[in-house]
Amino acid sequence: MAFTQKATPADGMARYEANRCEDIVTSQYCPQRPYLELLIPEEVAEVEKLVFTVISHDQGYCEAENTISWSWFDASVSRPPSRDRILPQCILQNELASREYRHHVVVWQVESAESDFNSDSSTRKFLGSIRHSDVIQVTPRAMFPGWSNHVRSIRIEAYCRLSEPSISAAPLPIGTGAVSKAAGEAAHNPLYRPLAVYKKEIRLLCLDPGESDDELSGSFIVSALDAPEMPVFEALSYCWGSGSSKGFINLSSGQKDHDSSKTTLAITANLNEALRYLRKELTSTCRIIWIDALCINQDDVSERGSQVGMMGEIYSRAASVVVWLGLVDSSEPATAKETVNMINKVAENYTPPTKTKGGVLLFADQLPVSEQNALFPRLTRLFTAFFNRPWFQRVWVVQEAWLSKKAVMYLGEEKVSWAAVMLVNYWMVNTRGGGFPGIAQVSLPSLWARIAEHQNLISSVRHSDEMTPRMKILDLVLEGAELAATDPRDRIFALLGLGEETHQRDQIPAPLQPNYTKTTSQVYVDFTLWWINKYQSLAILSAVHAAPGRTWQDLRPSHPATPPPTSYLSNYPSWALPPTGRARYANMTLGLRDTLSHSLSLPATVPVLFPSPDPLNLVLAGVSLATITAITSYPYTNLAPTHHDKSNHHASSSSLHAIFHRIFDPSSSLCTWSRETTPTGADVGPETTAAPGDSDVPLREDQLKDHLSIHNDDPSGAEFPCLTKCLFTTAERKLTGLCPTGVEAGDVIVFLHGGRVLYALRHLERQSKTGVYRFLGECYVEHKEDEPVLGAGWEMKKDMEIFTLV
């Protein structure tokens, strides 16, 4: 049972606590589900100290000598999607080969004595990065066959300093007005004369030369993108960082008929650093560069929308894109020079894997085994820190990198090529997954690998003739769902310039045009409805399973500290494309896999949509099949088919068993639920996923037997207790099937016209001719190949019902 409480010790700090006492066993095949969470409340200003109390042991034996325990505990932070990621930290490893429960207490604190080995620079940085509304999680881990982590209880205590009422003026918004002007006058700033949209006018910054301590200064040039006299310019790609100002720049409008005096604008710390370093390369002339925060009038909503629509053209027209990754601080595992040198060394020595052989890192393969064992943890730590830089996590930088003619990345004063970085990321994705105790292994979000393949920067595991110049916009949005954006609407707007259907600005469909007057809900509803109408399919509804808390496999602790992220948004529809999520979870669906959905024995129909008085509702036609009466764990060995002979009594379960293997991945073959990286040859995106039984990912029954022996004394008829209860049954029609997390007894299974799969709905209220439902997600019903799921006597018009999804 988990709970939280607050106390106030004498030193004035507040203490928050979460505690759970429940025996579980986890192995490398189990989903990486947090055991416990603690929410940091809004009144907290800083977390000064964390205390972790853990009672646990490993499997109790180990045949290898001179080894460490490969069962341990990670601390991580789940946070609002607008914030940068915090790398997980190892709390402790179990005592090696002990069956006795041990009581561990680990203390991390911001200010600690040098003798306090529990508080090093990485843990202090971890503490210093935590903000209010973050959720601290503790996750039990185990790696390699035979290793297991036995957990009895965990407690998290957070000692925090509370915020004090602010008596100072609010910080000046970034790039939104002169220091000398009142906030209400910012929209009339003389720096920003209106731009002619029909001419495709943009502003360019002429950055003046200067010494290191000189104030930043420059002026604007206004020019049309298509004009013959358009100057050669660069485009800056960087992270805005925090919203408070950390620097200033003096600017003039550059218009001859206007006052040439300078106006001072506030800029972020990241932009201040970038401009000062880039200015070092100047001689006597200015550097002409486009910067979104300065060259767009951020106070003018109309201008923001029109300029956002042109950003694809701006970055593709730029002579080069300058990527500013930031400076390297003392807490990182290597200096900027060492990091760039190692990136170049791996990129020059790495041969990517093919379908017939694995990747080779030449210089590492030539080292003695003992040196290899030390090298790979070092590379993992170094590249994880590099890929965790905020720039790689932001959605707006995707098109900036994709469309650039030439991209140069700056890590402080060091430069590294875009191609080398992408190749090193590919090495990280395809090397040994899961990290090491105490060392997280984090590669780039999957969209970056897709970009590198489309740019021919790496050898793809797919055949080159399967590649297309552009990705479908839905695939882009799903792949980019895990990227950070201050405004969730930007997870669509920032990718329109790359989509196959949307990359031409004058042909972007009206419902998808960047429009910041729309609410987040309306932006995602409009996208979902546009997709349904364009493709005459409801397949996009399966994308709800990309959202945390709505995945097929339940990845949340038994007592989550917060509701699913979509509930933070008022009036967010249950059926619409989620504003945040992970592409790998979207891949683990039925409706978004052509090879799966086409074999589900459902009639081919088109969506039947009805008008709704509420623009956030979806009214569809379909037929109700049955009400779920019970949901149980999947009895693996009882339902496992012995072979695929239809005469065998197990044959009716063969399709169910194959779907279970693909969706829930009990042997961790696809690594969707259990690791941060995907193994060589595994699925990379919705376009390339495979059907049940494909040979690229074997069922690995040997691992499953090992998994069952860890969790059960008698494996016959055994279940996987760490997997979600997913096997549902109905009294009507006596249906048996699989359902995702969140579905309960009493929910209904329906067929909706235009759907590739069956869906689960929760009845909210019944009207005279229609029912109002919450959309829960897709489902699978067991059936024989020669028998339609809906029954031989089903008639479309006769059996049609109307469902209002809210």
Side-chain angles (χ1 to χ4, degrees):
M1 185 69 179
F3 63 91
T4 60
Q5 66 181 35
K6 172 185 172 182
T8 307
D11 60 4
M13 286 196 294
R15 182 175 70 90
Y16 301 89
E17 177 184 308
N19 181 71
R20 178 182 172 191
C21 184
E22 181 180 352
D23 285 0
I24 69 162
V25 181
T26 188
S27 70
Q28 73 169 12
Y29 314 115
C30 291
Q32 283 186 15
R33 181 185 297 116
Y35 181 91
L36 183 63
E37 292 185 334
L38 174 63
L39 172 67
I40 302 301
E42 291 189 4
E43 66 264 22
V44 169
E46 295 176 331
V47 177
E48 295 283 334
K49 181 170 70 172
L50 287 176
V51 180
F52 302 97
T53 305
V54 179
I55 300 179
S56 63
H57 69 79
D58 69 9
Q59 69 285 341
Y61 60 88
C62 179
E63 296 177 355
E65 297 181 358
N66 301 320
T67 188
I68 60 173
S69 176
W70 286 88
S71 68
W72 73 96
F73 295 83
D74 279 342
S76 58
V77 176
S78 174
R79 56 193 338 198
S82 61
R83 297 180 182 175
D84 297 323
R85 179 174 59 189
I86 300 176
L87 286 177
Q89 295 287 317
C90 178
I91 302 172
L92 63 96
Q93 294 168 251
N94 280 317
E95 184 174 323
L96 179 64
S98 172
R99 292 182 182 274
E100 206 177 306
Y101 280 103
R102 304 287 181 174
H103 187 274
H104 310 271
V105 178
V106 177
V107 179
W108 294 349
Q109 52 192 35
V110 174
E111 297 181 2
S112 60
E114 292 183 2
S115 59
D116 185 358
F117 66 93
N118 287 327
S119 296
D120 59 19
S121 61
S122 61
T123 57
R124 289 195 291 272
K125 183 176 181 180
F126 182 91
L127 289 172
S129 301
I130 298 173
R131 300 289 180 265
H132 68 81
S133 303
D134 286 345
V135 178
I136 301 171
Q137 301 175 324
V138 177
T139 303
R141 299 286 306 278
M143 187 177 292
F144 298 133
W147 287 89
S148 58
N149 198 338
H150 298 247
V151 186
R152 172 147 293 172
S153 70
I154 297 178
R155 181 170 68 245
I156 308 172
E157 297 169 87
Y159 293 81
C160 310
R161 295 199 180 278
L162 303 183
S163 302
E164 297 180 0
S166 176
I167 57 176
S168 60
L172 187 70
I174 302 303
T176 56
V179 172
S180 58
K181 288 183 175 291
E185 300 177 25
H188 304 290
N189 192 324
L191 283 174
Y192 296 111
R193 72 137 169 103
L195 299 175
V197 177
Y198 70 96
K199 291 183 180 179
K200 294 186 179 179
E201 282 189 339
I202 64 171
R203 297 183 191 89
L204 296 170
L205 170 67
C206 285
L207 178 64
D208 295 333
E211 299 299 326
S212 58
D213 294 333
D214 292 346
E215 291 184 339
L216 291 170
S217 65
S219 59
F220 283 136
I221 298 173
V222 175
S223 182
L225 273 176
D226 295 331
E229 64 275 12
M230 180 73 183
V232 176
F233 68 97
E234 300 170 293
L236 179 64
S237 182
Y238 74 105
C239 263
W240 279 38
S242 69
S244 58
S245 61
K246 296 294 183 180
F248 301 95
I249 184 170
N250 300 315
L251 294 174
S252 64
S253 67
Q255 300 174 63
K256 295 180 180 179
D257 55 344
H258 282 71
D259 186 357
S260 61
S261 62
K262 300 283 187 179
T263 300
T264 302
L265 291 186
I267 57 177
T268 65
N270 285 346
L271 182 54
N272 183 56
E273 289 175 353
L275 293 180
R276 290 186 179 278
Y277 271 81
L278 295 177
R279 188 175 62 175
K280 289 182 179 181
E281 298 181 348
L282 296 177
T283 54
S284 58
T285 60
C286 71
R287 189 166 191 164
I288 301 177
I289 191 165
W290 187 87
I291 304 171
D292 55 357
L294 296 178
C295 296
I296 298 175
N297 184 357
Q298 299 296 327
D299 282 339
D300 189 331
V301 175
S302 177
E303 180 178 303
R304 278 176 60 200
S306 64
Q307 291 284 292
V308 162
M310 294 172 59
M311 284 179 68
E313 286 187 82
I314 294 171
Y315 278 90
S316 62
R317 297 285 186 91
S320 67
V321 172
V322 177
V323 177
W324 176 256
L325 298 176
L327 302 176
V328 174
D329 62 41
S330 58
S331 68
E332 298 190 49
T335 65
K337 189 175 186 63
E338 291 170 332
T339 299
V340 169
N341 286 343
M342 192 55 72
I343 289 173
N344 290 330
K345 187 172 183 179
V346 171
E348 292 166 1
N349 286 271
Y350 180 52
T351 302
T354 66
K355 286 185 176 291
T356 57
K357 63 180 181 179
V360 178
L361 187 59
L362 294 177
F363 80 92
D365 290 350
Q366 297 167 0
L367 297 174
V369 173
S370 60
E371 293 184 33
Q372 289 186 35
N373 291 339
L375 174 66
F376 286 105
R378 178 171 175 260
L379 291 179
T380 299
R381 187 191 299 273
L382 188 151
F383 294 148
T384 290
F386 179 76
F387 291 139
N388 195 56
R389 305 194 78 81
W391 185 87
F392 292 110
Q393 316 305 322
R394 308 300 293 186
V395 70
W396 270 115
V397 305
V398 171
Q399 71 168 338
E400 299 166 10
W402 190 318
L403 298 174
S404 65
K405 296 176 182 177
K406 175 186 175 184
V408 180
M409 312 188 83
Y410 284 74
L411 184 62
E413 293 183 318
E414 299 295 323
K415 298 179 185 179
V416 63
S417 73
W418 174 249
V421 170
M422 290 299 102
L423 192 57
V424 168
N425 177 62
Y426 204 62
W427 176 80
M428 280 282 282
V429 169
N430 287 280
T431 192
R432 174 186 166 281
F436 305 83
I439 305 175
Q441 179 172 333
V442 178
S443 55
L444 293 181
S446 59
L447 184 52
W448 290 115
R450 301 294 296 276
I451 290 172
E453 290 176 354
H454 282 265
Q455 292 177 326
N456 295 319
L457 295 179
I458 56 177
S459 299
S460 172
V461 295
R462 297 187 287 272
H463 297 299
S464 59
D465 58 1
E466 295 176 359
M467 299 300 295
T468 57
R470 296 185 182 275
M471 293 170 60
K472 296 283 189 180
I473 186 61
L474 176 58
D475 291 337
L476 275 167
V477 172
L478 288 174
E479 292 279 356
E482 63 191 275
L483 296 175
T486 304
D487 188 331
R489 296 170 292 186
D490 286 338
R491 291 194 187 87
I492 290 179
F493 295 162
L495 299 172
L496 292 174
L498 305 178
E500 180 182 304
E501 310 95 322
T502 58
H503 69 280
Q504 293 183 329
R505 181 172 176 267
D506 56 351
Q507 295 182 16
I508 296 177
L512 305 189
Q513 291 281 352
N515 183 350
Y516 288 96
T517 65
K518 289 183 180 179
T519 64
T520 296
S521 296
Q522 195 61 60
V523 167
Y524 282 84
V525 163
D526 287 349
F527 184 98
T528 307
L529 291 175
W530 166 82
W531 196 95
I532 291 173
N533 283 293
K534 178 174 177 60
Y535 291 100
Q536 287 296 285
S537 169
L538 298 183
I540 193 173
L541 298 185
S542 296
V544 300
H545 297 304
R550 300 194 67 180
T551 50
W552 264 85
Q553 174 68 262
D554 190 1
L555 299 176
R556 310 192 80 212
S558 58
H559 299 275
T562 61
T566 49
S567 65
Y568 293 130
L569 304 172
S570 60
N571 300 320
Y572 197 85
S574 62
W575 54 271
L577 188 71
T580 184
R582 299 193 69 178
R584 61 199 298 174
Y585 302 156
N587 294 342
M588 286 292 107
T589 60
L590 303 174
L592 290 174
R593 291 169 174 258
D594 288 345
T595 50
L596 287 182
S597 59
H598 289 169
S599 63
L600 300 182
S601 299
L602 291 172
T605 59
V606 297
V608 180
L609 282 72
F610 296 89
S612 170
D614 188 330
L616 300 184
N617 292 350
L618 178 63
V619 184
L620 298 169
V623 57
S624 178
L625 300 182
T627 300
I628 294 175
T629 54
I631 300 177
T632 59
S633 298
Y634 189 84
Y636 185 83
T637 51
N638 280 347
L639 291 182
T642 55
H643 54 79
H644 294 283
D645 182 354
K646 290 187 177 182
S647 64
N648 186 276
H649 72 283
H650 286 295
S652 63
S653 297
S654 62
S655 63
L656 185 73
H657 205 60
I659 295 291
F660 174 78
H661 264 285
R662 270 292 173 167
I663 296 297
F664 289 94
D665 190 25
S667 66
S668 196
S669 299
L670 295 172
C671 302
T672 302
W673 314 111
S674 59
R675 297 182 185 175
E676 289 297 325
T677 57
T678 304
T680 303
D683 300 339
V684 185
E687 302 161 348
T688 60
T689 49
D694 280 4
S695 59
D696 63 321
V697 182
L699 299 183
R700 299 172 77 171
E701 297 289 349
D702 58 327
Q703 291 192 354
L704 293 173
K705 290 178 182 177
D706 181 59
H707 190 15
L708 287 168
S709 66
I710 288 174
H711 292 278
N712 304 274
D713 294 331
D714 179 13
S716 61
E719 303 167 350
F720 297 109
C722 60
L723 299 185
T724 302
K725 290 185 177 181
C726 63
L727 187 73
F728 73 81
T729 54
T730 71
E732 308 158 72
R733 301 186 183 225
K734 300 188 181 303
L735 301 178
T736 299
L738 300 172
C739 60
T741 181
V743 178
E744 301 172 354
D747 296 332
V748 295
I749 305 297
V750 304
F751 169 76
L752 299 174
H753 291 295
R756 299 176 172 183
V757 295
L758 300 178
Y759 300 103
L761 307 180
R762 181 161 299 156
H763 191 263
L764 300 179
E765 59 181 89
R766 183 170 295 282
Q767 300 172 354
S768 57
K769 294 184 179 180
T770 183
V772 178
Y773 297 84
R774 177 175 293 115
F775 182 79
L776 302 177
E778 59 180 18
C779 290
Y780 176 78
V781 170
E782 181 185 19
H783 63 282
K784 294 182 179 179
E785 291 183 6
D786 55 351
E787 295 181 4
V789 175
L790 298 181
W794 179 77
E795 295 180 14
M796 175 177 169
K797 293 183 179 180
K798 177 182 176 182
D799 296 331
M800 188 172 70
E801 302 173 46
I802 298 176
F803 300 87
T804 298
L805 308 184
V806 299

